[in-house]
Amino acid sequence: MSSSLVQTAVPIVAYCASSITMTLVNKLVLSSFQFHMVFFMLAIQAFGSVALMVLANRLGLNVKYRAMNIPDAKTWFPVACSQAFMLYTGGKALEYLNVPLFTVFKNLTIIAVAYGEKWVFSAAVTSLMLASFGLMVLSSIVGAWNDLTFNGWGYFWMSFNCLASAIFVIHMRKVIKQVNFKDFDTVYFNNLLTLPLYVVLSVVQENWSGFFFYYSDNAHNAELHSFIRGMLISGVAAFAISYCSPWCLRTTSSTTYSMIGALNKLPIAIFAMMWFPDPVSAGGVLAVLLGFGAGLVYTHAKNVQKRDVPQGAQVLPPPIAMDRLDQPDSSK
């Protein structure tokens, strides 16, 4: 095996592994324990990302970011808040929905983003993109129709998450031109600005008295240790996906990276079906396959659009991953 092939394969495998780990661990933490503490989990992820980014920078691991400063913080804070809302609603949706269904409905965000970009940036929506949207809607209908563990709260939070994700992406792409953020600047500012917010909201809203009372019982020690391990892995995985995404993009190409993002949703769904005890139906599997196909068609449509539009006519900055709960393809 040539060294160039290894240098390309390693970041791809690392990106896929971190993405799969992130989604599965989030689902585990948010649905498998007595207390479902979304804000606390997000605080751990934000702290883990910032702390490990600082450590990686000092170790010389090619993690460079702009130092926190008041002008950029003021400009970026509304974007960070919109990300916080997106991550919270995504966490609540993942708490109630199984992972395969979550990935299927997450595709609907792509439609909201595409038409939001058309409205804000005058971006084009091609016929091939419309075909992928049709597959996305069809996969969502099939998934909902065959949902054996229907939960209205899951669909409620998923709807809000699709809207919040679209608002975040469009807002970020508009503001990022003003601050000219690069690779890790966005990750660093988002996590550092939202960390205090997550901590305050966790203390105010989440049931810490019940948490300490429940886990003070020695009978629940094993569950507490599993909860702590899950939180720690979640924090490390948040940094890992933040590191592996730009690493993969730098060592491959934007086209390859987008395709990897689309392809990676299938193993996430498969691993979730194997790991979690949620019932699996033939219709649910069909919905995942339709959503997978829709993602491939959309990625191809965006790559064709990028190839046909002259470089000087590009109206949007390079796309950036939307969230840590379910990393989307970068073709948005």
Side-chain angles (χ1 to χ4, degrees):
M1 184 179 294
S2 66
S3 59
S4 61
L5 181 59
V6 172
Q7 290 174 355
T8 302
V10 170
I12 290 175
V13 172
Y15 168 68
C16 292
S18 61
S19 178
I20 292 170
T21 302
M22 186 85 245
T23 304
L24 297 183
V25 170
N26 282 337
K27 174 62 177 176
L28 175 69
V29 169
L30 293 174
S31 64
S32 301
F33 300 105
Q34 181 70 20
F35 292 87
H36 308 152
M37 309 181 79
V38 180
F39 284 125
F40 181 57
M41 183 193 73
L42 293 176
I44 293 294
Q45 291 179 357
F47 176 79
S49 295
V50 171
L52 291 174
M53 281 180 67
V54 172
L55 179 61
N57 177 266
R58 293 184 177 179
L59 293 176
L61 296 180
N62 199 28
V63 177
K64 299 177 181 179
Y65 48 86
R66 188 181 306 181
M68 180 62 66
N69 61 87
I70 293 177
D72 286 342
K74 286 182 177 178
T75 303
W76 196 256
F77 185 69
V79 178
C81 288
S82 66
Q83 186 206 42
F85 182 57
M86 174 192 69
L87 293 179
Y88 177 75
T89 55
K92 295 300 290 184
L94 196 57
E95 177 183 336
Y96 294 107
L97 296 178
N98 61 58
V99 174
L101 197 60
F102 180 86
T103 60
V104 165
F105 279 100
K106 194 70 176 175
N107 276 340
L108 295 179
T109 301
I110 298 175
I111 303 176
V113 170
Y115 280 97
E117 288 177 350
K118 182 178 181 180
W119 180 49
V120 176
F121 300 107
S122 300
V125 176
T126 65
S127 56
L128 195 56
M129 290 168 65
L130 288 174
S132 72
F133 296 162
L135 285 174
M136 291 172 192
V137 172
L138 179 61
S139 69
S140 300
I141 293 173
V142 172
W145 189 265
N146 292 275
D147 185 5
L148 300 180
T149 56
F150 179 85
N151 189 302
W153 282 112
Y155 289 88
F156 171 81
W157 286 113
M158 192 72 246
S159 300
F160 267 95
N161 180 247
C162 290
L163 178 62
S165 299
I167 292 172
F168 167 66
V169 171
I170 294 168
H171 190 196
M172 179 181 64
R173 292 185 180 181
K174 191 173 182 179
V175 175
I176 202 170
K177 295 180 179 180
Q178 302 174 27
V179 293
N180 194 30
F181 277 170
K182 305 299 180 184
D183 270 359
F184 292 101
D185 297 338
T186 303
V187 178
Y188 183 73
F189 272 71
N190 275 340
N191 285 299
L192 197 56
L193 289 173
T194 55
L195 176 56
L197 180 65
Y198 294 144
V199 172
V200 170
L201 290 173
S202 178
V203 171
V204 171
Q205 182 175 344
E206 293 175 331
N207 185 11
W208 281 100
S209 59
F211 178 89
F212 286 117
F213 177 78
Y214 179 81
Y215 286 116
S216 63
D217 187 343
N218 291 334
H220 302 138
N221 277 347
E223 182 181 338
L224 176 61
H225 293 157
S226 296
F227 179 83
I228 294 172
R229 282 196 300 270
M231 284 292 185
L232 292 176
I233 294 172
S234 178
V236 174
F239 166 75
I241 201 164
S242 299
Y243 181 83
C244 293
S245 297
W247 182 27
C248 183
L249 185 57
R250 282 194 302 267
T251 54
T252 58
S253 67
S254 58
T255 302
T256 303
Y257 179 79
S258 349
M259 190 59 70
I260 292 168
L263 292 172
N264 203 39
K265 291 185 178 181
L266 186 60
I268 287 175
I270 292 174
F271 276 111
M273 289 177 182
M274 295 169 56
W275 194 7
F276 296 104
D278 300 315
V280 178
S281 66
V285 173
L286 177 61
V288 170
L289 293 176
L290 286 172
F292 174 69
L296 293 180
V297 173
Y298 180 77
T299 300
H300 177 64
K302 292 297 288 184
N303 289 332
V304 169
Q305 186 183 50
K306 185 186 301 182
R307 182 190 63 201
D308 293 342
V309 176
Q311 188 64 30
Q314 298 284 344
V315 296
L316 297 179
I320 297 174
M322 291 198 309
D323 70 45
R324 295 189 302 264
L325 289 161
D326 179 35
Q327 289 289 321
D329 59 80
S330 71
S331 58
K332 295 184 180 60

Coordinates of all heavy atoms in Angstrom, one line a residue, residues 165-195:
S165 N -31.7 24.3 12.3 CA -30.5 24.0 11.6 C -30.4 24.9 10.3 O -29.3 25.4 10.0 CB -30.5 22.5 11.2 OG -30.5 21.7 12.3
A166 N -31.5 25.1 9.7 CA -31.5 25.9 8.5 C -31.1 27.4 8.8 O -30.3 28.0 8.1 CB -32.8 25.8 7.8
I167 N -31.7 27.9 9.9 CA -31.4 29.2 10.4 C -30.0 29.4 10.7 O -29.3 30.4 10.3 CB -32.3 29.6 11.6 CG1 -33.8 29.7 11.1 CG2 -31.8 30.9 12.2 CD1 -34.7 29.9 12.3
F168 N -29.4 28.4 11.4 CA -28.0 28.4 11.8 C -27.1 28.5 10.6 O -26.2 29.3 10.5 CB -27.7 27.2 12.7 CG -26.2 27.0 12.9 CD1 -25.4 28.0 13.6 CD2 -25.6 25.9 12.4 CE1 -24.1 27.8 13.8 CE2 -24.2 25.7 12.6 CZ -23.4 26.7 13.3
V169 N -27.3 27.5 9.7 CA -26.4 27.5 8.5 C -26.4 28.7 7.7 O -25.4 29.3 7.3 CB -26.8 26.2 7.6 CG1 -26.0 26.3 6.3 CG2 -26.5 24.9 8.4
I170 N -27.6 29.2 7.4 CA -27.8 30.4 6.6 C -27.2 31.6 7.3 O -26.5 32.5 6.7 CB -29.2 30.6 6.2 CG1 -29.7 29.5 5.3 CG2 -29.4 32.0 5.5 CD1 -31.2 29.5 5.0
H171 N -27.5 31.8 8.6 CA -27.0 32.9 9.4 C -25.4 32.8 9.4 O -24.7 33.8 9.2 CB -27.6 32.8 10.8 CG -27.3 34.1 11.6 ND1 -27.4 34.1 12.9 CD2 -26.8 35.3 11.2 CE1 -27.1 35.3 13.4 NE2 -26.7 36.0 12.4
M172 N -24.9 31.6 9.6 CA -23.4 31.5 9.7 C -22.8 31.8 8.4 O -21.7 32.5 8.4 CB -23.1 30.0 10.1 CG -21.6 29.8 10.2 SD -21.2 28.1 10.6 CE -21.9 27.2 9.2
R173 N -23.3 31.4 7.3 CA -22.7 31.7 6.0 C -22.7 33.1 5.7 O -21.9 33.6 4.9 CB -23.4 30.8 4.9 CG -23.1 29.3 5.1 CD -23.7 28.5 3.9 NE -23.4 27.1 4.1 CZ -23.8 26.2 3.3 NH1 -24.4 26.5 2.2 NH2 -23.5 24.9 3.5
K174 N -23.7 33.8 6.3 CA -23.8 35.3 6.0 C -22.8 36.0 6.9 O -22.1 36.9 6.4 CB -25.2 35.7 6.3 CG -25.5 37.1 5.8 CD -27.0 37.5 6.0 CE -27.3 38.9 5.5 NZ -28.8 39.2 5.7
V175 N -22.7 35.6 8.1 CA -21.8 36.4 9.1 C -20.3 36.0 8.9 O -19.5 36.8 9.1 CB -22.3 36.1 10.5 CG1 -21.3 36.7 11.5 CG2 -23.7 36.6 10.7
I176 N -20.1 34.8 8.4 CA -18.7 34.3 8.3 C -17.9 35.2 7.4 O -16.6 35.3 7.5 CB -18.6 32.8 7.9 CG1 -17.3 32.2 8.4 CG2 -18.8 32.6 6.5 CD1 -17.3 30.7 8.2
K177 N -18.5 35.8 6.4 CA -17.8 36.7 5.5 C -17.3 37.9 6.2 O -16.3 38.5 5.9 CB -18.8 37.2 4.4 CG -19.3 36.1 3.4 CD -20.2 36.6 2.4 CE -20.7 35.6 1.4 NZ -21.6 36.1 0.4
Q178 N -18.0 38.3 7.3 CA -17.6 39.5 8.0 C -16.4 39.3 8.9 O -15.5 40.1 9.0 CB -18.8 40.0 8.9 CG -20.0 40.4 8.1 CD -21.2 40.7 9.1 OE1 -20.9 41.2 10.2 NE2 -22.4 40.4 8.7
V179 N -16.3 38.1 9.5 CA -15.2 37.8 10.4 C -14.1 37.0 9.7 O -13.0 36.9 10.3 CB -15.7 37.0 11.6 CG1 -16.6 37.9 12.4 CG2 -16.5 35.8 11.2
N180 N -14.3 36.4 8.5 CA -13.3 35.7 7.8 C -12.7 34.6 8.6 O -11.5 34.4 8.7 CB -12.2 36.7 7.3 CG -11.3 36.0 6.2 OD1 -11.8 35.2 5.5 ND2 -10.1 36.4 6.2
F181 N -13.6 33.8 9.2 CA -13.1 32.6 10.0 C -12.6 31.5 9.1 O -13.1 31.3 8.0 CB -14.2 32.1 10.9 CG -14.4 32.8 12.2 CD1 -15.5 32.5 13.0 CD2 -13.5 33.7 12.6 CE1 -15.8 33.2 14.2 CE2 -13.7 34.4 13.8 CZ -14.8 34.1 14.6
K182 N -11.6 30.8 9.6 CA -11.0 29.7 8.9 C -11.3 28.4 9.7 O -12.0 28.4 10.7 CB -9.5 29.9 8.7 CG -9.1 31.2 8.0 CD -9.6 31.3 6.6 CE -9.2 32.6 6.0 NZ -9.8 32.7 4.6
D183 N -10.6 27.3 9.2 CA -10.8 26.0 9.8 C -11.4 25.9 11.2 O -12.6 25.6 11.4 CB -9.5 25.2 9.8 CG -9.3 24.4 8.5 OD1 -10.2 24.5 7.6 OD2 -8.2 23.8 8.3
F184 N -10.6 26.1 12.2 CA -10.9 25.9 13.6 C -11.5 27.1 14.3 O -11.9 27.0 15.4 CB -9.8 25.3 14.4 CG -9.4 23.9 14.0 CD1 -8.3 23.7 13.1 CD2 -10.1 22.8 14.4 CE1 -7.9 22.4 12.7 CE2 -9.8 21.5 14.0 CZ -8.7 21.3 13.2
D185 N -11.4 28.3 13.6 CA -11.9 29.5 14.3 C -13.4 29.3 14.6 O -13.8 29.7 15.7 CB -11.8 30.7 13.3 CG -10.3 31.0 13.0 OD1 -9.5 30.6 13.8 OD2 -10.1 31.6 11.9
T186 N -14.2 28.8 13.7 CA -15.6 28.6 13.9 C -15.9 27.7 15.1 O -16.7 28.0 16.0 CB -16.3 28.1 12.7 OG1 -16.1 29.0 11.6 CG2 -17.8 27.9 12.9
V187 N -15.2 26.6 15.1 CA -15.3 25.6 16.2 C -15.0 26.2 17.6 O -15.7 26.1 18.6 CB -14.5 24.3 15.9 CG1 -14.6 23.3 17.1 CG2 -14.9 23.7 14.6
Y188 N -13.8 26.9 17.6 CA -13.3 27.5 18.8 C -14.3 28.5 19.4 O -14.7 28.5 20.6 CB -12.0 28.1 18.6 CG -11.3 28.7 19.8 CD1 -10.8 27.8 20.8 CD2 -11.2 30.1 20.0 CE1 -10.2 28.4 21.9 CE2 -10.6 30.6 21.1 CZ -10.1 29.7 22.1 OH -9.5 30.3 23.2
F189 N -14.7 29.5 18.5 CA -15.6 30.5 19.0 C -17.0 30.0 19.3 O -17.6 30.4 20.3 CB -15.8 31.6 17.9 CG -14.7 32.7 17.9 CD1 -13.4 32.4 17.6 CD2 -15.0 34.0 18.4 CE1 -12.4 33.4 17.7 CE2 -14.1 35.0 18.4 CZ -12.7 34.7 18.1
N190 N -17.5 29.1 18.5 CA -18.9 28.5 18.9 C -18.9 27.8 20.2 O -19.8 28.1 21.1 CB -19.3 27.5 17.8 CG -19.9 28.1 16.6 OD1 -20.4 29.2 16.7 ND2 -19.9 27.4 15.5
N191 N -17.8 27.0 20.5 CA -17.8 26.3 21.8 C -17.5 27.2 22.9 O -18.1 27.0 24.0 CB -16.8 25.1 21.7 CG -17.3 24.0 20.8 OD1 -18.3 23.4 21.1 ND2 -16.6 23.7 19.7
L192 N -16.6 28.1 22.8 CA -16.2 28.9 23.9 C -17.3 29.9 24.3 O -17.5 30.2 25.5 CB -14.9 29.7 23.6 CG -14.1 30.3 24.8 CD1 -13.8 29.3 25.8 CD2 -12.9 31.0 24.3
L193 N -18.0 30.4 23.3 CA -19.1 31.4 23.5 C -20.3 30.7 24.1 O -21.1 31.3 24.9 CB -19.5 32.1 22.2 CG -18.4 33.1 21.7 CD1 -18.9 33.7 20.4 CD2 -18.3 34.3 22.7
T194 N -20.6 29.5 23.7 CA -21.8 28.8 24.2 C -21.6 28.0 25.5 O -22.6 27.6 26.2 CB -22.4 27.8 23.1 OG1 -21.3 26.9 22.7 CG2 -22.8 28.6 21.9
L195 N -20.3 27.7 25.9 CA -20.1 26.9 27.1 C -20.7 27.5 28.3 O -21.5 26.8 29.1 CB -18.6 26.8 27.3 CG -18.1 26.1 28.6 CD1 -18.8 24.7 28.7 CD2 -16.6 25.9 28.6

